[in-house]
Amino acid sequence: MSATQPQPMARPDREVVHITAEETHPVRLAVLRADTPTKEVAFPEDHAPGAVHLGVRVDGTLVATSTWIPRDAPDGTSPAVQLRGMATAGHLQGTGIGALLIAAGRDHARSIGAAVVWANARDRALAFYEREGFTVVGDGFVDATTQLPHHVVVSRL
Ligand SMILES: CC(C)(COP(=O)(O)OP(=O)(O)OC[C@H]1O[C@@H](n2cnc3c(N)ncnc32)[C@H](O)[C@@H]1OP(=O)(O)O)[C@@H](O)C(=O)NCCC(=O)NCCS
């Protein structure tokens, strides 16, 4: 998010928290595996060196997850951080929780010296990423795990 855009409004009942890879599983299953051929919720990179899992708790309940993995961008930009597993519980989508996670993940990526944050984004979510300041790059592709159309999105830090 650029300095000219308003930051997501902080609300006392919404807390960005560090969580474990395993704590991401229920939200990943409900949100990211609802309509996919696989129900696998673990990612191979979940325990990669430097991988960080950020979530949002609303009144103590975990309602959103994201995973931030040190990994060069597809164009070779390094150091970089890949965002995976971005998900907000259905009943709270569109209420600013995803924006909170993007802001927190960007702060984390900056803190480890990353030049960019990037993701393989579902086409369905591209408008969200563009709204959050990401740029869509390259041709679309079908992700092997989900069988859904995707594009790479990149945000310079
Ligand atoms: C995509 C997703 C993570 C966004 O999280 P969220 O908590 O709903 O996002 P926010 O409420 O912070 O939305 C931020 C902004 O993007 C907009 N937005 C959110 N989802 C959008 C979408 N699918 N299309 C267009 N705009 C969208 C919101 O309206 C909001 O805009 P505003 O600030 O002008 O009101 C969430 O909708 C989700 O889990 N979707 C299903 C799973 C998914 O596709 N994950 C991404 C995998 S790559």
Side-chain angles (χ1 to χ4, degrees):
M1 185 174 289
S2 77
T4 54
Q5 287 180 304
Q7 293 294 317
M9 194 176 299
R11 291 175 41 164
D13 59 334
R14 297 180 166 192
E15 187 187 9
V16 178
V17 289
H18 282 262
I19 55 177
T20 65
E22 289 66 32
E23 284 178 290
T24 67
H25 291 179
V27 174
R28 284 184 186 170
L29 182 65
V31 180
L32 296 173
R33 294 292 176 261
D35 57 354
T36 55
T38 175
K39 297 297 174 200
E40 178 60 60
V41 288
F43 300 153
E45 312 87 347
D46 274 342
H47 298 285
V52 164
H53 308 276
L54 296 176
V56 172
R57 290 192 194 281
V58 172
D59 295 330
T61 300
L62 189 66
V63 297
T65 63
S66 62
T67 295
W68 305 82
I69 304 149
R71 180 183 268 181
D72 292 355
D75 70 355
T77 302
S78 179
V81 168
Q82 181 184 7
L83 165 60
R84 289 206 63 182
M86 179 76 203
T88 300
H91 66 293
L92 289 170
Q93 289 175 12
T95 66
I97 287 174
L100 281 178
L101 280 181
I102 296 289
R106 278 202 179 108
D107 286 348
H108 161 71
R110 270 190 214 101
S111 78
I112 62 168
V116 304
V117 167
W118 66 278
N120 292 323
R122 294 179 180 197
D123 283 2
R124 245 180 250 162
L126 285 182
F128 164 74
Y129 287 105
E130 290 183 312
R131 173 75 184 75
E132 294 303 319
F134 285 75
T135 303
V136 179
V137 295
D139 295 334
F141 60 95
V142 173
D143 176 74
T145 304
T146 61
Q147 296 296 317
L148 295 171
H150 281 65
H151 279 78
V152 171
V153 294
V154 175
S155 168
R156 301 219 153 262
L157 298 175

